[in-house]
Every structure is written in structure tokens, then in C-alpha cells.
Amino acid sequence: KQVEEKVSSFEGYIESSDFSVNPGTKSRNYALIVRIPVDKLDTFVDETGWKGTITSKSENIEDVTLDYVDKTAYKESLQTEYDRVTELLEKAKDLDQILALESKLSQLRYELNSYESQLRIYDNQIDYSTVHIYISEVEYESETSYTVGSRINSGFRSSLYAIRDFFVNL
């Protein structure tokens, strides 16, 4: 709930989520894919990370510049062709010409819409970062540092938990 509220407060949105309970251990797992505005990503990660222990973090960047420029140029070319065919349609007198030009316009409209849709997807990818969040409930909190003292403390605590679990299960 806190992570969902944090996503909203950063003007992001949840793209997908999955909640599950492991039947054997009764532990709960929650996986989210969220989209956060690019300029707020670092702050979001910093402020959300303290809610638990971050066990892994990776960043990937995909450069879509060349593909974006190509699709924009092709869309502009299609738009120019669409405008020319529209002008020809206005001047057409013959029914066969009108039908052929309308068919061509329909095809061009379809292609233009397809390229506009692809460019909107790129715009969304550029404006928002995708963050994958996996939240796993743990039965016992464990130390994240591995000093000798912390290992002894962790071993002693797990022994006590094991004794407690034995009597609970008994």
C-alpha cells in the first residue's frame, strides 16, 4: 500500500501487479511494474528503498533515437503523400479514379495512424522510466552485513526461531 501511494505521489502509475501467497510457507509476494516520470526516478528509488531491504538493483537504457527519427521522417513522407492524394481526389471526375484514390487514402490513413501510435509509445518510453518492484515477505529479518558478530547473532537468532517453530508445530 505504501509503495502504491508513493507511485501516485510521484505522478506515476502501476502498469501491472501480481500478488501471490506461497502455500507452503504462507509468505506473501507482490510484484509490480510501475512507470515513473524520468525526472523523478532517482528520488522515487531513494525514498522507496528505505521501506525494506534492497536485494538487487539494475539499470538499463535503450536508445531509440535513430528509430524515432526514421519513423518521424516516414510519417511526414506519408502525410505529404496523403495531402497530394487528397488534392487529386478533389479534382477527380471519373468514378474509377475516385474509388482508387479513396482506397489509397484509406491505406495511407491506416499507415499514418500506425506510425503515430508507434511514436506515442516511444514518447511514453522516453517520458517514463519502468521500475520492476518485487516485494517478498520474510518470516524472520536477517542481517545484511556479514561481520563475524552479525553472523553469530544471526545464527543464534535462527536457532531460537527454529526451537520456537518446533514447539509451535509440535
Side-chain angles (χ1 to χ4, degrees), residues 64-76 115 119:
V64 295
T65 306
L66 292 176
D67 201 27
Y68 190 91
V69 169
D70 287 347
K71 287 188 186 329
T72 302
Y74 194 69
K75 179 188 163 250
E76 290 171 0
Y115 278 97
L119 290 171

Side-chain angles (χ1 to χ4, degrees), residues 47-115:
E47 289 187 18
T48 307
W50 71 268
K51 303 280 184 207
T53 303
I54 296 176
T55 57
S56 69
K57 178 182 172 182
S58 67
E59 294 183 21
N60 300 310
I61 295 173
E62 180 182 356
D63 188 2
V64 295
T65 306
L66 292 176
D67 201 27
Y68 190 91
V69 169
D70 287 347
K71 287 188 186 329
T72 302
Y74 194 69
K75 179 188 163 250
E76 290 171 0
S77 170
L78 284 172
Q79 185 64 50
T80 303
E81 184 178 357
Y82 182 85
D83 294 342
R84 275 193 242 140
V85 172
T86 303
E87 288 174 12
L88 289 173
L89 181 62
E90 290 172 1
K91 296 176 184 176
K93 304 277 189 224
D94 186 20
L95 182 62
D96 289 339
Q97 283 181 334
I98 292 172
L99 291 175
L101 290 171
E102 284 182 348
S103 175
K104 182 67 175 175
L105 278 176
S106 177
Q107 176 190 355
L108 289 170
R109 243 188 318 251
Y110 174 77
E111 288 183 48
L112 276 168
N113 287 339
S114 174
Y115 278 97

Side-chain angles (χ1 to χ4, degrees), residues 32-44:
L32 296 127
I33 298 176
V34 300
R35 305 281 300 190
I36 302 295
V38 171
D39 58 337
K40 299 178 180 181
L41 176 65
D42 291 333
T43 309
F44 173 79

Side-chain angles (χ1 to χ4, degrees), residues 114-129:
S114 174
Y115 278 97
E116 286 172 359
S117 175
Q118 291 173 23
L119 290 171
R120 278 193 303 273
I121 289 170
Y122 282 141
D123 289 338
N124 186 278
Q125 286 177 333
I126 291 166
D127 295 339
Y128 287 85
S129 292

